[in-house]
Amino acid sequence: MRRRSHLLVWIIFGIPFTLGMAIVGYWYVSNRLEKKVLLPTYGSVPEFRLTSGEGAPVYRNILLGKITIADFIFTQCAGACPLMSSKMSELQQTFLGDPRIRFVSFSVDPENDTPEVLRQYAKQYGAVQGRWLFLTGEHAAIYSLTRDGFHLGLDVEGDSTIIHSQKFVLIDNEAAIRGYYEMEDSDAVKSLVRDARILSRRAEP
C-alpha cells in the first residue's frame, strides 16, 4: 500500500517537476547557444521606391521593425521561380505564428510583372496579404537595387532570358542584410529558419 502511495505521489508531483526541469534546462542551453550565434552583416538595403501588387507605393521603411525574408523572381519564369515561390510559401506557413517575420518577393521583370499580374501570382502561392509582399517598379530601380543594394547577380542574355539569383536573403529589423541562403540547399534553408528565429527573438521589445 505504501508503495502505491509513493507511486501516486511521484505521478502527481515527480513527473511534472522532472518535465519542468527538463524544459528549463533545454531553454537555458538553447538560449546560451543562441547568444553565441554571430550573424554577419552584408551591408544595408538602400532606399527604394517600388510598387506593391496592390498598386501602393512601397519604400525602404517597410523593412524597418520586421525581420524580412526576400527573394527575386518573375512570374513568367519557367525555371527556378516556381520552386522558389513554393518554398517561400512553406516558409510563410512555418512563421505564420510570428508577426515579426514578413516576406518580400522582388520582380526582376518589371516590364511584364504589373501590379495586377503580381496580385494574381500571389494568390497562386497563397500569399497572406500584409505578410508576403510582391514588388515591381522601374527597370533601372529594380536592377540597381538587386545588383548594388543586395549584391546579387542579375542579367539578360541575348534571347531576353533573365538570369537572376536563386538565393533567399535575410534582412533584420534595421534593414541590414544578415544572410544569403541557397534555395536548393535544404541545410541552407534550415539555417535560414534558425537565423530568422534568432533575429526575431532579438528584435523583441
Side-chain angles (χ1 to χ4, degrees):
M1 190 70 179
R2 182 174 297 176
R3 184 176 298 175
R4 288 184 179 179
S5 178
H6 285 309
L7 180 60
L8 185 60
V9 170
W10 167 249
I11 291 173
I12 295 174
F13 298 104
I15 293 177
F17 177 78
T18 302
L19 289 173
M21 291 301 293
I23 292 171
V24 170
Y26 174 80
W27 175 86
Y28 177 77
V29 172
S30 298
N31 195 46
R32 295 271 296 184
L33 291 174
E34 181 179 302
K35 288 182 178 178
K36 293 182 180 180
V37 176
L38 298 177
L39 298 178
T41 299
Y42 298 95
S44 184
V45 179
E47 296 291 340
F48 62 79
R49 184 190 187 281
L50 299 174
T51 304
S52 73
E54 304 304 317
V58 176
Y59 303 89
R60 177 182 180 271
N61 62 10
I62 195 72
L63 303 175
L64 301 178
K66 300 285 186 180
I67 308 304
T68 303
I69 296 173
D71 68 354
F72 294 80
I73 53 92
F74 62 105
T75 62
Q76 295 185 13
C77 172
C81 297
L83 182 56
M84 290 184 73
S85 295
S86 293
K87 290 196 174 184
M88 191 73 116
S89 181
E90 292 174 6
L91 288 168
Q92 177 187 234
Q93 192 64 33
T94 296
F95 291 111
L96 207 56
D98 188 344
R100 289 183 296 274
I101 297 178
R102 73 147 54 96
F103 308 86
V104 177
S105 291
F106 296 89
S107 169
V108 294
D109 184 18
E111 286 83 2
N112 293 303
D113 287 343
T114 63
E116 173 60 26
V117 169
L118 289 180
R119 189 158 59 249
Q120 294 304 317
Y121 187 83
K123 290 179 181 178
Q124 182 180 341
Y125 289 95
V128 176
Q129 191 170 359
R131 289 293 301 273
W132 184 0
L133 305 178
F134 288 79
L135 304 182
T136 187
E138 297 286 337
H139 182 279
I142 289 288
Y143 274 61
S144 175
L145 180 64
T146 306
R147 292 167 170 171
D148 304 327
F150 282 91
H151 314 294
L152 294 173
L154 177 59
D155 208 348
V156 179
E157 291 187 342
D159 59 354
S160 299
T161 300
I162 299 174
I163 307 299
H164 64 97
S165 172
Q166 299 177 20
K167 293 180 180 180
F168 291 126
V169 184
L170 181 62
I171 306 164
D172 69 18
N173 58 318
E174 296 181 347
I177 299 169
R178 306 303 297 272
Y180 297 92
Y181 307 83
E182 289 290 347
M183 176 271 297
E184 293 184 315
D185 186 335
S186 59
D187 289 335
V189 175
K190 289 177 183 177
S191 295
L192 168 59
V193 170
R194 179 203 63 195
D195 295 346
R197 283 179 173 150
I198 288 173
L199 290 179
S200 176
R201 284 192 282 267
R202 290 177 181 175
E204 289 179 350

